[in-house]
Amino acid sequence: MASVAWAVLKVLLLLPTQTWSPVGAGNPPDCDSPLASALPRSSFSSSSELSSSHGPGFSRLNRRDGAGGWTPLVSNKYQWLQIDLGERMEVTAVATQGGYGSSDWVTSYLLMFSDGGRNWKQYRREESIWGFPGNTNADSVVHYRLQPPFEARFLRFLPLAWNPRGRIGMRIEVYGCAYKSEVVYFDGQSALLYTLDKKPLKPIRDVISLKFKAMQSNGILLHREGQHGNHITLELIKGKLVFFLNSGNAKLPSTIAPVTLTLGSLLDDQHWHSVLIELLDTQVNFTVDKHTHHFQAKGDSSNLDLNFEISFGGILSPGRSRAFTRKSFHGCLENLYYNGVDVTELAKKHKPQILMMELAHGLQDQNLKISLTVCHQTTQ
């Protein structure tokens, strides 16, 4: 049975690895390399072009070949310029110019990004729905550092306004660095169980961090229990992320009501979303996509002893949580960390703390490979 579990886990861990800095470390100091300048012309595409010499392949920053930049056939708000970076990258900044030596430049634009080139998300500047400031002439370079940065393979620049005495004209650059993606795929019928240290001494502070991309609007992302029946659960319900915390002792009568917290919406949009959970005694910090909620759980901190085990993708606690079982997660989890420990790396090294199990029988390895291919395509 164990060999079957590891065979399944081996299939689930076939996704490629790139380069990344651990959670909480921020961007590497040198994560500002130009990413577009070395790309071939075939990596650039657009909604249209005024002529063959105004094509998207001429849109690299400071280049003067062709007509000196990209210009669409018609200047309106339905035009776009797209870059394929070749793989998912960490993007930290963008820069724009107008068409070389012309009266064609863009004064404001939207920035969109995507993993697969089909499902797009707008980058919002500090929650603003408005676009980026563009250029005031053809040749000056306008840089914009992205706070926070994002990860994507495809980027689109959508002009909103341009020089009224000219046309849309753009030359662009994208800055960043390579990104490591340790991804595990869950098909809605499997889960990964990480057994924690059962010693009486528990960590002063527990930190769980991950990213997820959901293919369905409902499912358990993680579930963690303690020795006394107390638990925390993170569940996607109708596209919203719900955090459940029960800090009471299930073996004793208790008047402490479980805590339920909801953050985010439309999180089943097949884009990556980040989660950070920090627990210090009964104090909890719950963060989803940079939005943090702080709260204090009621009850004795000794009851909030969760130093037992944690499952990702579903609940693997028969006999203790039968009444709590809900729909398992269908999608991808990325960069799973518990107190700085790379859980995915432990799984790849076949460490005894990790167990991969199926929640329903009848799933064949070949089906897992097919589903994994779909997940791999969406993450890229």
Side-chain angles (χ1 to χ4, degrees):
M1 188 67 180
S3 61
V4 174
W6 278 116
V8 173
L9 180 59
K10 183 178 180 181
V11 173
L12 295 178
L13 296 175
L14 288 177
L15 293 180
T17 297
Q18 301 164 343
T19 307
W20 181 78
S21 58
V23 173
N27 301 111
D30 58 348
C31 192
D32 57 359
S33 301
L35 303 178
S37 58
L39 294 174
R41 289 185 182 179
S42 58
S43 298
F44 298 80
S45 58
S46 64
S47 53
S48 66
E49 56 190 56
L50 182 63
S51 69
S52 58
S53 59
H54 290 86
F58 299 111
S59 63
R60 287 171 286 189
L61 201 73
N62 292 320
R63 296 295 292 268
R64 302 182 181 183
D65 47 344
W70 167 70
T71 296
L73 180 62
V74 179
S75 291
N76 58 33
K77 295 182 180 180
Y78 301 102
Q79 307 300 324
W80 47 264
L81 174 62
Q82 178 175 311
I83 305 178
D84 178 0
L85 298 175
E87 60 182 340
R88 197 161 168 238
M89 306 289 282
E90 182 92 0
V91 179
T92 60
V94 294
T96 61
Q97 279 178 306
Y100 171 70
S102 71
S103 57
D104 304 335
W105 61 83
V106 169
T107 57
S108 68
Y109 61 93
L110 295 179
L111 181 63
M112 311 289 287
F113 60 94
S114 171
D115 286 340
R118 296 180 298 275
N119 188 22
W120 295 91
K121 185 174 184 179
Q122 179 184 344
Y123 182 88
R124 298 184 183 275
R125 301 187 304 119
E126 298 176 351
E127 300 305 315
S128 172
I129 63 173
W130 304 107
F132 288 76
N135 300 86
T136 57
N137 58 53
D139 295 309
S140 297
V141 178
V142 174
H143 292 265
Y144 191 87
R145 182 158 293 278
L146 303 171
Q147 295 293 347
F150 61 85
E151 298 81 41
R153 172 177 172 175
F154 296 89
L155 284 80
R156 269 190 187 181
F157 295 78
L158 282 68
L160 293 177
W162 47 92
N163 179 20
R165 295 185 176 87
R167 296 174 177 268
I168 291 174
M170 293 193 81
R171 287 176 288 171
I172 56 176
E173 183 56 272
V174 176
Y175 301 90
C177 57
Y179 178 75
K180 173 185 174 181
S181 183
E182 296 284 5
V183 178
V184 180
Y185 170 68
F186 296 89
D187 57 8
Q189 302 182 66
S190 58
L192 187 152
L193 183 66
Y194 174 35
T195 301
L196 308 180
D197 187 1
K198 297 182 182 180
K199 294 180 181 179
L201 181 62
K202 66 176 182 177
I204 298 176
R205 179 170 172 261
D206 277 336
V207 180
I208 302 170
S209 62
L210 58 89
K211 288 187 176 182
F212 73 92
K213 176 189 285 191
M215 297 182 181
Q216 294 182 356
S217 58
N218 298 283
I220 297 286
L221 271 73
L222 67 88
H223 177 76
R224 185 178 176 197
E225 293 194 7
Q227 298 282 7
H228 305 294
N230 50 306
H231 59 77
I232 63 171
T233 302
L234 188 63
E235 182 175 7
L236 193 65
I237 300 178
K238 295 182 178 179
K240 298 181 179 181
L241 206 54
V242 182
F243 178 78
F244 299 93
L245 185 148
N246 181 1
S247 59
N249 190 329
K251 299 179 181 179
L252 300 174
S254 175
T255 59
I256 302 173
V259 174
T260 302
L261 245 156
T262 301
L263 281 181
S265 62
L266 302 177
L267 300 179
D268 54 345
D269 58 358
Q270 295 191 27
H271 287 285
W272 289 105
H273 299 280
S274 60
V275 177
L276 177 64
I277 300 173
E278 301 170 287
L279 297 100
L280 177 60
D281 290 328
T282 57
Q283 180 180 338
V284 182
N285 298 330
F286 177 38
T287 303
V288 179
D289 292 338
K290 308 298 180 182
H291 300 283
T292 302
H293 190 98
H294 309 274
F295 67 94
Q296 189 84 23
K298 296 181 180 180
D300 185 353
S301 62
S302 63
N303 288 338
L304 196 59
D305 181 9
L306 298 170
N307 200 23
F308 185 46
E309 63 186 19
I310 178 170
S311 58
F312 297 95
I315 297 178
L316 292 173
S317 301
R320 285 195 299 276
S321 296
R322 293 182 187 273
F324 204 79
T325 302
R326 293 187 173 93
K327 185 176 178 62
S328 298
F329 179 67
H330 184 195
C332 302
L333 296 186
E334 177 182 71
N335 297 329
L336 306 178
Y337 280 84
Y338 169 73
N339 286 350
V341 176
D342 187 340
V343 177
T344 308
E345 187 67 21
L346 291 179
K348 291 172 67 176
K349 293 181 177 179
H350 292 198
K351 295 296 183 179
Q353 302 100 308
I354 301 296
L355 179 64
M356 193 71 195
M357 295 180 64
E358 294 185 63
L359 301 176
H361 62 277
L363 190 62
Q364 302 298 317
D365 284 359
Q366 182 61 34
N367 292 334
L368 282 172
K369 291 180 181 179
I370 295 171
S371 299
L372 178 61
T373 301
V374 174
C375 182
H376 173 62
Q377 290 172 346
T378 58
T379 56
Q380 294 296 317

